[in-house]
Amino acid sequence: MGITDRGLVLACSAIGAGLALIAGIGPGVGQGIAAGHGASAVGRNPGAKGDITSTMLLGQAVAETTGLYGLAIAFILLFANPLIGKL
Amino acid sequence: MKAANLLASSDAEVDFFVHGVFSYELFGQTFWITTTHVAIVIVMLLIVVFAVAARIAISHAEKYPRGFQNVVEMIVEMLDKMVVSSMGPYAKKFRNYIGSIFIFIFISNISGLFGLRPPTADYGVTLPLGLITFGIIQYNNVKYNKFGAFTGLFKPLPLLFPINLIGEIAVPFSLSLRLFGNVLSGTVMMSLIYTLLAKFAYGWPGILHIYFDVFSGAIQTYVFCMLTMVYVTDKLPEAE
């Protein structure tokens, strides 16, 4: 098997980038819960729709942060790989 | 290698990187003027031209506004209402800063519509924005809480000092990474569509532009300003 060191590191980095995006599950669930509660709040109190929507969007954007950390790790592994330099 | 590129019309490379325009030497280091600098200059020129036009419109203000004066008043009222609603009596000290970063980040985010690479998709732009916010938070912390700014780190338990310290230091990074990650992911998606689906990308990517550039950009701008205000208000004493 002619697997070079460089090839091995690149292949494992690609797998690692894919695994890092599993972090997307959490924000997905969290944003769904927030949107569901927002919808039921509007159902109970339709007059406060504007306030509810802006609060919901703010909370969702904060919940999204953990997913973006995973995305940042994936980008680092794919495009600015620090492991290649260690060979 | 070819099989993976079935959809590509040619050997087009996916391109969403920052490019150097020209380099110069300073103190023995090589620095680059990049596409981000060019995009920021374009955004700045746009804002300055708008500001001068707004200034002219306001200096000839009429009692019953119409046309451009209406637009300017609407923007100012919108920003003012946003700051007042979350900062209350402290609003008048901070609306200059919040309004400025709101307009800058918003125009930067939607500059993908004009074919620029959004300046906020470069970590070198969002990190300074986060650090400025961090500076304002800590300045107000020391100004209003005096020595309590330091002892506050030991509440409610002295044992929690390391966690409180990390919580303070993480603020600029989480603020800047959130903005950077959102805008970058939009940029990457659009460039993937334009290069890998180049054969079919006629017209319909406009819908995606509305989502990735306008909607996502506006939400992230709002969130950045909102969080800045929440963090700063947190350090101010309760208003009577």
Side-chain angles (χ1 to χ4, degrees), chain A residues 54 57 61 65 68-69 75 79, chain B residues 16 174 177-178 182 219 223:
Chain A
S54 62
L57 285 176
T65 312
L68 290 172
Y69 292 159
F75 274 126
F79 299 110
Chain B
F16 50 84
S174 84
L177 265 178
R178 181 177 303 121
N182 262 289
I219 294 279
V223 166

Side-chain angles (χ1 to χ4, degrees), chain B residues 144-215:
Chain B
Y144 286 101
N145 298 334
K146 303 282 186 296
F147 198 62
F150 181 69
T151 51
L153 289 173
F154 293 94
K155 286 173 188 167
L157 282 176
L159 195 66
L160 292 178
F161 170 71
I163 296 176
N164 285 336
L165 191 66
I166 293 171
E168 290 288 327
I169 294 174
V171 165
F173 297 104
S174 84
L175 270 178
S176 56
L177 265 178
R178 181 177 303 121
L179 182 60
F180 166 71
N182 262 289
V183 181
L184 181 70
S185 64
T187 310
V188 171
M189 286 297 291
M190 291 320 296
S191 66
L192 282 178
I193 284 161
Y194 281 128
T195 49
L196 297 186
L197 290 178
K199 279 177 190 165
F200 314 104
Y202 296 107
W204 60 267
I207 301 166
L208 295 173
H209 267 298
I210 291 176
Y211 177 74
F212 284 121
D213 289 335
V214 179
F215 178 72

